[in-house]
Amino acid sequence: MLAEVHNLFQRLVEALASDVKYRPGERHRCGLWIESGGELILLHASAGFPDHYLRNRRLDIERSIAGKSFRRGQTIVLDNVRENDDWEPNPESSSPYLALICIPIGRWGVLTVDALHPMKEHVKMICELYGCMIEGAMEEYMRLLSVTEIAASKPEKKQA
């Protein structure tokens, strides 16, 4: 079941990256970051992210734009991240992406969308829709885990 859930999240992140383009061939970079111990960890990413970022790239919840979105539970839309006080350059990256949308995923984390150009209102709405789908899938997965744990903890009835 866990593999199926991770596959679903990856497919959603990839679909979002291709659904919010302005020009033919353009791909935005999307990431699903999960909160753990005061950090956001990149759990799933579209093709725009280097492979070694997965599960290794981390953002501080107190000192990042995605962290601010998570803390406040609000979508953040920026036309140029470099002009924002919460943005810190990644010394490993020479990424040309400037625009950013961060969508909080309930108590779980943040969905980010990086773009080369500022994004319009309809892109924000599409991103929020994907965020709702991911949050719903995460809630359902956690509910199923709870049901499975409860069922596993019940003692078996002995037949007489």
Side-chain angles (χ1 to χ4, degrees):
M1 177 170 57
L2 183 58
E4 291 169 354
V5 170
H6 281 286
N7 187 29
L8 172 63
F9 291 147
Q10 185 62 39
R11 286 193 333 246
L12 287 169
V13 165
E14 289 290 349
L16 177 57
S18 66
D19 278 351
V20 291
K21 58 187 166 197
Y22 292 118
R23 297 176 179 98
E26 183 177 53
R27 276 185 71 88
H28 291 19
R29 185 171 75 168
C30 301
L32 177 58
W33 305 76
I34 300 300
E35 188 280 328
S36 178
E39 294 181 312
L40 293 168
I41 301 168
L42 185 60
L43 188 61
H44 293 281
S46 67
F49 280 98
D51 289 338
H52 72 277
Y53 275 25
L54 288 176
R55 294 175 182 76
N56 293 314
R57 182 77 174 108
R58 297 166 188 273
L59 299 172
D60 189 291
I61 286 179
E62 298 298 326
R63 294 188 330 262
S64 68
I65 299 165
K68 180 187 281 187
S69 173
F70 178 75
R71 287 190 328 269
R72 292 182 176 178
Q74 296 175 334
T75 298
I76 294 176
V77 179
L78 298 172
D79 290 341
N80 187 341
V81 294
R82 295 178 181 150
E83 295 173 353
N84 189 284
D85 292 340
D86 290 314
W87 181 77
E88 290 183 13
N90 175 2
E92 292 181 32
S93 176
S94 60
S95 167
Y97 292 99
L98 289 174
L100 175 67
I101 296 178
C102 297
I103 299 96
I105 307 297
R107 64 182 189 251
W108 310 110
V110 175
L111 179 63
T112 60
V113 180
D114 300 337
L116 299 173
H117 309 286
M119 294 175 269
K120 299 190 185 313
E121 180 67 21
H122 72 276
V123 173
K124 175 185 160 224
M125 293 170 60
I126 292 168
C127 295
E128 289 176 332
L129 176 62
Y130 272 87
C132 287
M133 288 188 286
I134 291 170
E135 185 174 355
M138 184 70 76
E139 292 289 342
E140 181 64 11
Y141 173 67
M142 297 309 275
R143 186 190 69 75
L144 288 172
L145 276 183
S146 296
V147 168
T148 303
E149 288 174 6
I150 291 168
S153 67
K154 289 183 180 178
E156 290 184 33
K157 292 183 180 180
K158 293 184 180 181
Q159 294 181 354

